[in-house]
Amino acid sequence: MKKQYYIILFLLALVLFMIGTWIVKIVSGGVPFVDQWTRDLVEKLDDTYIYTGFRWVTNLGSEPFMVPFTVIAALILWWMFRSWLPALIFAGGTLGSHLLNKLIKALVDRERPSILVSANAEGHSFPSGHAMISMVCYGLLAYFIAKKLTSTKSKLLVQFLLALLIFLIGISRYVINVHYLTDVVAGFIIGFLCLVGLIYLYEWLHKRRTQS
Protein backbone atom coordinates (compact mmCIF):
# COMPACT_ATOMS: atom_id res chain seq x y z
CA MET A 1 0.00 0.00 0.00
CA LYS A 2 2.85 2.37 0.89
CA LYS A 3 4.57 1.55 -2.42
CA GLN A 4 1.42 2.47 -4.40
CA TYR A 5 1.18 5.70 -2.42
CA TYR A 6 4.73 6.70 -3.40
CA ILE A 7 4.08 5.79 -7.05
CA ILE A 8 0.99 8.02 -7.10
CA LEU A 9 2.94 10.88 -5.50
CA PHE A 10 5.73 10.47 -8.04
CA LEU A 11 3.30 10.51 -10.98
CA LEU A 12 1.51 13.53 -9.54
CA ALA A 13 4.81 15.40 -9.13
CA LEU A 14 5.80 14.47 -12.69
CA VAL A 15 2.51 15.72 -14.13
CA LEU A 16 2.64 18.97 -12.15
CA PHE A 17 6.24 19.50 -13.26
CA MET A 18 5.15 19.03 -16.89
CA ILE A 19 2.35 21.58 -16.53
CA GLY A 20 4.76 23.92 -14.75
CA THR A 21 7.23 23.79 -17.66
CA TRP A 22 4.40 24.58 -20.06
CA ILE A 23 3.35 27.58 -17.98
CA VAL A 24 6.93 28.89 -17.78
CA LYS A 25 7.28 28.53 -21.54
CA ILE A 26 3.96 30.30 -22.20
CA VAL A 27 4.55 33.15 -19.74
CA SER A 28 7.98 33.77 -21.26
CA GLY A 29 6.33 34.23 -24.65
CA GLY A 30 7.16 30.84 -26.14
CA VAL A 31 5.09 27.95 -27.45
CA PRO A 32 5.48 24.47 -25.85
CA PHE A 33 6.92 21.86 -28.20
CA VAL A 34 3.71 19.79 -27.96
CA ASP A 35 1.75 22.67 -29.47
CA GLN A 36 4.34 23.23 -32.18
CA TRP A 37 4.13 19.56 -33.20
CA THR A 38 0.32 19.41 -33.26
CA ARG A 39 -0.67 22.57 -35.13
CA ASP A 40 -0.56 20.99 -38.61
CA LEU A 41 -3.16 18.35 -37.72
CA VAL A 42 -5.81 20.75 -36.45
CA GLU A 43 -5.39 22.97 -39.50
CA LYS A 44 -6.08 19.98 -41.78
CA LEU A 45 -9.35 19.23 -39.93
CA ASP A 46 -10.85 22.64 -40.68
CA ASP A 47 -14.02 22.48 -42.86
CA THR A 48 -14.30 18.68 -42.52
CA TYR A 49 -17.06 16.45 -41.12
CA ILE A 50 -14.84 15.87 -38.08
CA TYR A 51 -14.74 19.61 -37.41
CA THR A 52 -18.53 19.86 -37.80
CA GLY A 53 -19.13 16.98 -35.38
CA PHE A 54 -16.83 18.40 -32.73
CA ARG A 55 -18.32 21.84 -33.24
CA TRP A 56 -21.62 20.36 -32.01
CA VAL A 57 -20.04 18.36 -29.17
CA THR A 58 -18.27 21.43 -27.78
CA ASN A 59 -21.64 23.01 -26.95
CA LEU A 60 -22.16 20.37 -24.23
CA GLY A 61 -19.37 22.05 -22.28
CA SER A 62 -20.29 25.65 -23.03
CA GLU A 63 -21.74 28.02 -20.44
CA PRO A 64 -25.23 28.41 -22.03
CA PHE A 65 -25.70 24.64 -21.68
CA MET A 66 -23.73 23.99 -18.49
CA VAL A 67 -25.47 26.54 -16.26
CA PRO A 68 -29.04 25.19 -16.59
CA PHE A 69 -27.73 21.61 -16.76
CA THR A 70 -25.87 22.02 -13.47
CA VAL A 71 -28.92 23.48 -11.73
CA ILE A 72 -31.26 20.73 -13.00
CA ALA A 73 -28.75 17.93 -12.25
CA ALA A 74 -28.21 19.29 -8.72
CA LEU A 75 -31.96 19.20 -8.06
CA ILE A 76 -32.15 15.63 -9.40
CA LEU A 77 -29.26 14.58 -7.13
CA TRP A 78 -30.99 16.18 -4.15
CA TRP A 79 -34.11 14.16 -4.98
CA MET A 80 -32.18 10.91 -5.58
CA PHE A 81 -30.21 11.07 -2.33
CA ARG A 82 -32.85 12.89 -0.27
CA SER A 83 -29.93 15.03 0.92
CA TRP A 84 -28.54 18.46 0.10
CA LEU A 85 -24.91 17.33 0.38
CA PRO A 86 -24.50 15.63 -3.06
CA ALA A 87 -26.30 18.54 -4.74
CA LEU A 88 -24.09 21.07 -2.94
CA ILE A 89 -20.85 19.26 -3.76
CA PHE A 90 -21.92 18.86 -7.39
CA ALA A 91 -23.10 22.43 -8.00
CA GLY A 92 -20.51 24.06 -5.73
CA GLY A 93 -17.70 21.96 -7.20
CA THR A 94 -18.69 22.84 -10.75
CA LEU A 95 -18.89 26.54 -9.89
CA GLY A 96 -15.62 26.36 -7.96
CA SER A 97 -13.80 24.76 -10.89
CA HIS A 98 -15.12 27.53 -13.13
CA LEU A 99 -13.77 30.23 -10.80
CA LEU A 100 -10.43 28.43 -10.42
CA ASN A 101 -10.17 28.14 -14.19
CA LYS A 102 -10.77 31.88 -14.58
CA LEU A 103 -8.09 32.62 -11.99
CA ILE A 104 -5.45 30.42 -13.65
CA LYS A 105 -6.29 31.86 -17.07
CA ALA A 106 -5.84 35.40 -15.76
CA LEU A 107 -2.48 34.50 -14.19
CA VAL A 108 -1.08 32.68 -17.24
CA ASP A 109 -2.59 35.20 -19.69
CA ARG A 110 -2.27 33.11 -22.87
CA GLU A 111 -3.94 34.16 -26.11
CA ARG A 112 -6.08 31.65 -27.97
CA PRO A 113 -5.06 30.30 -31.39
CA SER A 114 -8.35 31.76 -32.67
CA ILE A 115 -11.55 33.35 -31.31
CA LEU A 116 -14.98 31.82 -31.91
CA VAL A 117 -17.67 33.67 -29.99
CA SER A 118 -20.46 31.26 -31.00
CA ALA A 119 -18.49 28.40 -29.40
CA ASN A 120 -18.02 30.28 -26.11
CA ALA A 121 -14.36 30.81 -27.02
CA GLU A 122 -13.28 34.26 -25.86
CA GLY A 123 -10.70 35.48 -23.38
CA HIS A 124 -7.61 33.61 -22.25
CA SER A 125 -6.63 30.12 -23.35
CA PHE A 126 -4.72 28.18 -20.64
CA PRO A 127 -6.14 25.90 -19.32
CA SER A 128 -9.22 24.89 -21.29
CA GLY A 129 -12.35 25.63 -19.27
CA HIS A 130 -14.35 23.08 -21.25
CA ALA A 131 -11.88 20.31 -20.40
CA MET A 132 -11.48 21.31 -16.76
CA ILE A 133 -15.08 22.10 -15.85
CA SER A 134 -16.52 19.16 -17.81
CA MET A 135 -14.14 16.85 -15.94
CA VAL A 136 -15.53 18.10 -12.62
CA CYS A 137 -19.20 18.38 -13.63
CA TYR A 138 -19.65 15.13 -15.56
CA GLY A 139 -17.11 13.33 -13.37
CA LEU A 140 -19.08 14.10 -10.21
CA LEU A 141 -22.29 13.16 -11.99
CA ALA A 142 -20.80 9.76 -12.90
CA TYR A 143 -19.64 9.27 -9.31
CA PHE A 144 -23.02 10.08 -7.74
CA ILE A 145 -25.08 8.11 -10.28
CA ALA A 146 -22.81 5.08 -9.84
CA LYS A 147 -23.42 5.20 -6.07
CA LYS A 148 -27.13 4.66 -6.72
CA LEU A 149 -26.67 1.74 -9.13
CA THR A 150 -26.45 -1.84 -7.87
CA SER A 151 -25.21 -3.52 -11.05
CA THR A 152 -21.45 -3.37 -11.66
CA LYS A 153 -22.05 -3.41 -15.42
CA SER A 154 -24.40 -0.45 -15.16
CA LYS A 155 -21.89 1.48 -13.07
CA LEU A 156 -19.09 0.82 -15.56
CA LEU A 157 -21.33 1.77 -18.49
CA VAL A 158 -22.32 5.11 -16.93
CA GLN A 159 -18.72 5.87 -16.00
CA PHE A 160 -17.46 4.93 -19.45
CA LEU A 161 -20.06 7.02 -21.30
CA LEU A 162 -19.50 10.11 -19.18
CA ALA A 163 -15.71 9.69 -19.35
CA LEU A 164 -16.02 9.50 -23.14
CA LEU A 165 -18.17 12.65 -23.11
CA ILE A 166 -15.56 14.48 -21.01
CA PHE A 167 -12.81 13.48 -23.43
CA LEU A 168 -14.81 14.50 -26.52
CA ILE A 169 -15.79 17.88 -25.05
CA GLY A 170 -12.22 18.64 -24.08
CA ILE A 171 -10.60 17.51 -27.31
CA SER A 172 -13.26 19.38 -29.32
CA ARG A 173 -11.62 22.62 -28.24
CA TYR A 174 -8.40 21.55 -29.92
CA VAL A 175 -10.16 20.25 -33.05
CA ILE A 176 -12.13 23.48 -33.63
CA ASN A 177 -8.90 25.43 -33.02
CA VAL A 178 -9.93 27.60 -30.06
CA HIS A 179 -7.37 26.00 -27.72
CA TYR A 180 -3.89 24.57 -28.00
CA LEU A 181 -3.48 20.89 -27.13
CA THR A 182 -1.57 21.77 -23.94
CA ASP A 183 -4.56 23.88 -22.83
CA VAL A 184 -6.79 20.83 -23.10
CA VAL A 185 -4.39 18.40 -21.42
CA ALA A 186 -3.78 20.83 -18.54
CA GLY A 187 -7.55 21.33 -18.21
CA PHE A 188 -8.08 17.57 -17.96
CA ILE A 189 -5.35 17.15 -15.34
CA ILE A 190 -6.31 20.11 -13.14
CA GLY A 191 -9.98 19.16 -13.45
CA PHE A 192 -9.20 15.57 -12.42
CA LEU A 193 -7.32 16.75 -9.35
CA CYS A 194 -10.31 18.94 -8.42
CA LEU A 195 -12.64 16.00 -9.01
CA VAL A 196 -10.69 13.68 -6.72
CA GLY A 197 -10.52 16.38 -4.04
CA LEU A 198 -14.29 16.97 -4.22
CA ILE A 199 -15.03 13.24 -3.97
CA TYR A 200 -12.82 12.96 -0.88
CA LEU A 201 -14.53 16.03 0.57
CA TYR A 202 -17.95 14.49 0.02
CA GLU A 203 -16.92 11.16 1.56
CA TRP A 204 -15.47 12.94 4.59
CA LEU A 205 -18.56 15.13 5.12
CA HIS A 206 -20.93 12.21 4.55
CA LYS A 207 -19.03 10.08 7.08
CA ARG A 208 -19.17 12.86 9.67
CA ARG A 209 -22.92 13.29 9.13
CA THR A 210 -23.64 9.57 9.52
CA GLN A 211 -21.51 9.32 12.66
CA SER A 212 -23.05 12.34 14.40
Side-chain angles (χ1 to χ4, degrees):
M1 185 67 180
K2 187 175 287 188
K3 184 179 180 180
Q4 293 177 336
Y5 177 74
Y6 285 128
I7 291 173
I8 292 172
L9 282 180
F10 172 75
L11 292 174
L12 177 60
L14 190 63
V15 165
L16 292 177
F17 174 77
M18 178 183 69
I19 293 177
T21 58
W22 289 346
I23 292 175
V24 170
K25 187 81 170 178
I26 293 166
V27 171
S28 63
V31 178
F33 293 120
V34 175
D35 293 329
Q36 295 178 33
W37 299 333
T38 54
R39 294 315 299 159
D40 289 342
L41 175 60
V42 71
E43 290 171 2
K44 291 176 182 177
L45 294 175
D46 192 23
D47 291 328
T48 65
Y49 288 113
I50 295 175
Y51 178 94
T52 303
F54 277 105
R55 178 65 184 80
W56 180 85
V57 169
T58 203
N59 292 325
L60 299 178
S62 295
E63 191 172 325
F65 176 83
M66 290 292 283
V67 171
F69 175 82
T70 301
V71 173
I72 293 170
L75 292 173
I76 292 174
L77 288 174
W78 174 79
W79 174 79
M80 287 173 60
F81 284 84
R82 296 295 191 271
S83 169
W84 56 266
L85 186 57
L88 179 63
I89 293 293
F90 173 76
T94 301
L95 175 61
S97 66
H98 169 72
L99 296 176
L100 178 60
N101 178 261
K102 292 290 186 184
L103 174 62
I104 298 173
K105 281 183 174 179
L107 293 173
V108 178
D109 192 25
R110 186 186 201 183
E111 293 185 4
R112 293 176 184 269
S114 66
I115 300 295
L116 187 59
V117 177
S118 60
N120 197 216
E122 298 177 274
H124 302 304
S125 187
F126 186 96
S128 165
H130 278 62
M132 181 174 166
I133 300 165
S134 293
M135 176 67 76
V136 173
C137 178
Y138 293 113
L140 284 173
L141 193 62
Y143 167 75
F144 284 122
I145 291 176
K147 288 182 75 70
K148 281 297 182 180
L149 298 174
T150 55
S151 168
T152 302
K153 289 183 178 180
S154 297
K155 290 182 180 181
L156 291 175
L157 179 61
V158 168
Q159 291 169 344
F160 170 76
L161 291 176
L162 287 174
L164 179 61
L165 179 61
I166 292 167
F167 172 77
L168 291 176
I169 290 173
I171 207 67
S172 71
R173 308 304 280 176
Y174 163 70
V175 173
I176 68 173
N177 197 28
V178 294
H179 276 291
Y180 295 98
L181 188 58
T182 50
D183 300 339
V184 175
V185 174
F188 280 147
I189 294 171
I190 298 171
F192 181 75
L193 294 176
C194 293
L195 172 62
V196 172
L198 288 164
I199 289 174
Y200 273 106
L201 176 62
Y202 169 78
E203 293 289 350
W204 179 71
L205 291 173
H206 178 67
K207 187 177 181 180
R208 288 198 62 183
R209 289 186 69 199
T210 54
Q211 290 177 345
S212 60

